[in-house]
Amino acid sequence: HFMASDDKILPGLYERSMGMLSKYPEAGLCCSDLILFNGKTTKENRMFLSEQAGYFPPRETLNLFLKEKFSPVQSSTTIVKRKALLNAGGFRPELRWSIDAFAFDVVSFREGLCYVPEALTMVRSHLGQYGERRYKERGLEREIIAKMIALVRSPQYADVLPMFKQTAPFSTLPFEVLKVAISKRENWDFISPKLLKFVAYDLLTGFMSKIMPSSLYIRAREYYRNLLKKRGSI
């Protein structure tokens, strides 16, 4: 289990996660929902992967990734099998803030995942977080995306390359993924319908944020996104 020092483990995380991994030994990891804490207020971040705790084999895991612009596996909630992590290449320092996401995506595509529909960790959210640098240093984020694309093209990841092409879970910023994919002809096969859908979604919500009051925009965006996720539209 890998999480930031300022995050918090909630009751039941290890018991529920290890129980699922014992019940489904074929799974490579177990993840759950979380609570976001900004220093003043808390908000539950639901993934809506399933109403009941269960196991998603690789084929079904692919469908989960098609509904998320980044990854349905939230790192702070993830209990991963050591062997599965090592087989995925472990954590690669050159991927910086994406080291855990990339490794967990590989494990999920190869072995499937367990999911518990409960908030089992609390994550502190603030602008000083390491991962937040991707929003300020877009050039560096594109470099990291390019490195991940090069990695999944290597022989070590030939078995999961088709899943990465369909989902392109390289960044929480789909437009930056699109820029990297467009920049080289050999990367055009990562320009999937799913990627284009989330680029359009981000552009639309970005436009809405400029014409609507911030409080109304935030409520509308969260309501719309949660509604779509419950219906499986995205």
Side-chain angles (χ1 to χ4, degrees), residues 144-167:
I144 294 172
I145 294 168
K147 288 178 181 178
M148 285 189 278
I149 290 178
L151 266 177
V152 297
R153 288 197 184 281
S154 65
Q156 181 180 359
Y157 301 107
D159 58 324
V160 295
L161 177 59
M163 294 180 172
F164 273 97
K165 286 182 178 180
Q166 292 181 63
T167 61

Side-chain angles (χ1 to χ4, degrees), residues 166-168 174-175 177-179 181-182 188 190-203:
Q166 292 181 63
T167 61
F175 192 57
V177 178
L178 181 61
K179 288 180 181 178
I182 290 176
W188 287 5
F190 286 95
I191 306 175
S192 64
K194 177 247 180 173
L195 177 61
L196 295 176
K197 178 169 60 177
F198 280 102
V199 168
Y201 174 83
D202 277 3
L203 291 175

Side-chain angles (χ1 to χ4, degrees), residues 88-190:
F91 290 150
R92 298 178 176 274
E94 69 270 23
L95 300 184
R96 298 188 177 230
W97 44 75
S98 293
I99 58 171
D100 48 358
F102 179 80
F104 295 160
D105 290 350
V106 173
V107 172
S108 299
F109 287 148
R110 281 180 173 166
E111 305 182 38
L113 61 87
C114 289
Y115 168 68
V116 180
E118 302 173 26
L120 297 178
T121 62
M122 181 181 292
V123 174
R124 185 179 293 272
S125 176
H126 57 86
L127 296 177
Q129 287 176 310
Y130 181 52
E132 292 294 311
R133 289 178 57 187
R134 74 183 69 206
Y135 297 99
K136 300 177 181 178
E137 301 180 44
R138 300 296 180 96
L140 181 54
E141 176 69 353
R142 289 192 292 273
E143 288 180 17
I144 294 172
I145 294 168
K147 288 178 181 178
M148 285 189 278
I149 290 178
L151 266 177
V152 297
R153 288 197 184 281
S154 65
Q156 181 180 359
Y157 301 107
D159 58 324
V160 295
L161 177 59
M163 294 180 172
F164 273 97
K165 286 182 178 180
Q166 292 181 63
T167 61
F170 301 116
S171 175
T172 58
L173 301 166
F175 192 57
E176 301 303 327
V177 178
L178 181 61
K179 288 180 181 178
V180 175
I182 290 176
S183 66
K184 291 185 178 181
R185 187 179 181 84
E186 61 264 31
N187 291 337
W188 287 5
D189 49 359
F190 286 95

Side-chain angles (χ1 to χ4, degrees), residues 45-60:
N45 186 28
R46 293 287 309 279
M47 300 307 295
F48 301 111
L49 304 188
S50 172
E51 293 294 330
Q52 303 294 327
Y55 167 66
F56 295 87
R59 182 178 296 274
E60 294 180 22

